[in-house]
Amino acid sequence: MNKQKSKLYAARLQNVLSYIEHNLDEELTVDQLCSIANFSKFHFHRQFADYIGITVARYVLLLRLKQASYRIAFDESVKIIDIALNAGFETPESFTRAFKNAVGKSPSAFRKNPDWEAWHKVFDFRLPERNNKVQVDIINFESTFIAVKEHLGPVDNLNNTVGQFIAWRKATGLSPTNTSRTFGIAYDNPDTTEPSKFRFDIAGEVKNDIPENAHGIIMKIIPYGRCAVVRHLGSHNRLGESIYPLYQEWLPNSGEELRDFPLYFHYLNLLPDIAEADLVTDIYLPLK
């Protein structure tokens, strides 16, 4: 297959992936997906499996279970039976069976003690990287006090730290998500850092001092300064597709120099309240 035709096929299959991601709550038929890809259904299944590494039915199932797992782990106020029905399963039993077969734990056991490292292996899809064209704006970021839960260790375990921060946030009400911004501060690049040394802060904006607490939450500050900002749409797992163009293409041609503060993220909406495909994240690159 020549390069031009290969790009065309990739674009058509990316359209299918995007449609699936944005319509997980709807019935997804093979006829629909073939129409979006403009492929014959005699060839669609093979082409999809060659591109992603699993069948389209398996991919849809895993995406639905992945979305459900966020609600199971991070929102204990929602009953598992309701999560099962919202995920498109006809019965809680069929959901429990599918979840356990994929994740290795029942939904209730995962809620009590999620194994995020094993979870990442299940949902590590072979997704070809998208070539994002980034729109860069320069802004002045005002200094902001933040409550921080520090993470040190493999990025696959980061959700454990996120869960602890969410628990503190809900227990204290000191950084409510409806009025306080949520940030992530990336001290290291997980692609180039030894897993045991990867550092990341999950943080929420605060207006008052933070009392001593059992969750290990401390106060820090994001300082005032100029930043290049790029908006990323979609899964946090794909943030690199917006970060690398910022570093590799925009920065060398911008005439700007980096300031001594890490790259950080402002999460404009959050899992599990929103579908992963609908996440919106602003990426801040501190400049002198």
Side-chain angles (χ1 to χ4, degrees), residues 117-142:
E117 191 168 359
W119 178 94
H120 272 280
K121 292 176 183 176
V122 174
F123 299 108
D124 184 19
F125 306 120
R126 191 182 75 195
L127 294 178
E129 187 169 317
R130 294 185 281 228
N131 295 317
N132 282 359
K133 291 184 178 180
V134 298
Q135 171 64 46
V136 181
D137 295 313
I138 306 293
I139 61 99
N140 289 320
F141 186 89
E142 297 296 331

Side-chain angles (χ1 to χ4, degrees), residues 215-250:
H215 294 90
I217 307 299
I218 60 174
M219 180 175 276
K220 294 187 181 182
I221 188 170
I222 301 177
Y224 171 86
R226 295 174 67 246
C227 293
V229 184
V230 165
R231 177 155 291 183
H232 176 84
L233 305 177
S235 171
H236 296 160
N237 294 335
R238 286 183 172 270
L239 281 167
E241 294 172 2
S242 296
I243 293 171
Y244 285 116
L246 182 61
Y247 274 106
Q248 296 174 352
E249 297 171 15
W250 178 83

Side-chain angles (χ1 to χ4, degrees), residues 18-239:
S18 180
Y19 185 84
I20 291 171
E21 290 168 5
H22 286 92
N23 293 275
L24 282 176
D25 293 338
E26 307 296 328
E27 182 182 1
L28 295 167
T29 68
V30 173
D31 287 340
Q32 279 178 313
L33 300 180
C34 288
S35 176
I36 291 162
N38 196 23
F39 286 140
S40 160
K41 74 174 151 180
F42 295 107
H43 303 292
F44 173 72
H45 287 290
R46 182 180 183 117
Q47 288 168 313
F48 188 95
D50 286 346
Y51 191 64
I52 300 301
I54 55 177
T55 67
V56 65
R58 179 68 175 170
Y59 181 69
V60 171
L61 172 65
L62 288 177
L63 280 192
R64 285 173 170 158
L65 293 175
K66 184 182 182 186
Q67 182 67 25
S69 67
Y70 289 127
R71 300 189 74 196
I72 291 169
F74 296 139
D75 193 351
E76 293 187 359
S77 67
V78 181
K79 294 179 180 178
I80 289 175
I81 186 173
D82 294 328
I83 295 173
L85 297 175
N86 287 334
F89 289 82
E90 293 184 0
T91 66
E93 291 77 18
S94 61
F95 173 71
T96 296
R97 186 164 53 250
F99 192 92
K100 188 171 184 179
N101 285 340
V103 179
K105 286 186 173 186
S106 68
S108 57
F110 187 80
R111 170 165 276 178
K112 291 176 183 176
N113 185 27
D115 182 348
W116 290 112
E117 191 168 359
W119 178 94
H120 272 280
K121 292 176 183 176
V122 174
F123 299 108
D124 184 19
F125 306 120
R126 191 182 75 195
L127 294 178
E129 187 169 317
R130 294 185 281 228
N131 295 317
N132 282 359
K133 291 184 178 180
V134 298
Q135 171 64 46
V136 181
D137 295 313
I138 306 293
I139 61 99
N140 289 320
F141 186 89
E142 297 296 331
S143 61
T144 302
F145 288 104
I146 51 174
V148 168
K149 178 65 179 178
E150 296 177 322
H151 174 85
L152 174 64
V155 68
D156 287 356
N157 291 332
L158 181 57
N159 277 337
N160 285 324
T161 305
V162 171
Q164 293 169 38
F165 183 74
I166 290 173
W168 172 85
R169 219 172 190 182
K170 289 180 176 178
T172 66
L174 292 177
S175 181
T177 56
N178 59 336
T179 58
S180 304
R181 291 173 291 175
T182 302
F183 297 98
I185 302 176
Y187 296 94
D188 302 298
N189 179 351
D191 295 335
T192 58
T193 303
E194 183 181 323
S196 64
K197 296 181 179 179
F198 174 71
R199 297 167 300 152
F200 191 92
D201 287 349
I202 184 70
E205 186 177 15
V206 289
K207 305 297 184 186
N208 301 302
D209 291 339
I210 299 170
E212 289 190 18
N213 57 88
H215 294 90
I217 307 299
I218 60 174
M219 180 175 276
K220 294 187 181 182
I221 188 170
I222 301 177
Y224 171 86
R226 295 174 67 246
C227 293
V229 184
V230 165
R231 177 155 291 183
H232 176 84
L233 305 177
S235 171
H236 296 160
N237 294 335
R238 286 183 172 270
L239 281 167

Side-chain angles (χ1 to χ4, degrees), residues 265-279:
F265 310 111
H266 172 205
Y267 306 111
L268 280 79
N269 52 17
L270 299 168
L271 296 168
D273 302 327
I274 198 83
E276 193 171 21
D278 296 324
L279 290 169

